[in-house]
Amino acid sequence: GDITMSKVHIALASYNYGYLLPELLDSLKAQTFQDFTVYVSYYGSTDNTLEVIQKYQKEMPLVINEYKDIVGVGPNLHDVVEFALKDNPDYIQILDCDDKVLPTFLEVSVERMGKGDVDWCVCWGQLFGGRTGSVHAIIEPLDKLLLHNNLHSWAMFKADVLRKHNYNPELDYIIDWDLWIRLHLAGYKGEIIEQELHLR
C-alpha cells in the first residue's frame, strides 16, 4: 500500500547508532500491528547508519530524511518529527535507537489511543543488555515534574499534539523532559500502560 497512509509514523533520531539500529528495526518488523512507517534522521552521523537503513528500506516501510551536517539531539529529534508529520499519520511513536520493543508494543498503544480520551500514552519498560530491572513511568503533578522526569522518551502521541508542541531544536539534553513540562502546562492528558513492552 501507499506508505503515506500509515496510521502510525515512528520517528527515529539516530546519531552514530548504525551498530544498534538492526536490533530496533528487527523488533519493529516483528510487530503484531503493521500499519506503520519508520522515519529516520541521522544528522551528524559518521558511521554506517545510512547503509543500515538503506538495507532495511528493502524490507520494511522506511523513509530517510535528507542528511544535514548538524550534530545534536535537539535538531535531529525536532526535524524527524516534522518529517514524520508531513504524511498525516494519526499517531507519532518516538523511539530511541538504542532500544527495542516487544511484539505487541505498537498494538497495545494504538488500541489505547483509539479510545480517543488521551493525547499520549507510554508503556513501562525493562532493562536489557547485562542490566536487569523495570522502568515504570508515573504521571505526577507539575511541582514534582519540574524536579525530576518520571516519564519516558518512548511515547506515542496524537499527531496534532506534536504539530503544536515539537521538541526544542535548541536543546541538547533533557529534551523529552522539556516537552513533558510544556505538554503538562498546555493541559494535555496521557496514560501509562502498565505493561513492560519496551526494552532499553
Side-chain angles (χ1 to χ4, degrees), residues 41 58 73 102 187:
S41 282
K58 300 183 181 85
V73 189
L102 296 182

Side-chain angles (χ1 to χ4, degrees), residues 16 38 43 45-46 70 138 145 148 151 168-169 179 184:
N16 286 341
V38 178
Y43 294 178
S45 293
T46 53
I70 301 170
I138 40 175
L145 178 60
H148 51 82
L151 291 167
N168 184 346
L179 180 70
H184 191 113

Side-chain angles (χ1 to χ4, degrees), residues 31 76 96 103 105 128 155 170 178 181 188 194 200:
Q31 290 299 297
N76 218 339
D96 292 330
F105 173 80
F128 78 100
E170 306 293 312
D178 166 76
I181 291 168
Y188 290 106
E194 297 185 353
R200 66 171 312 176

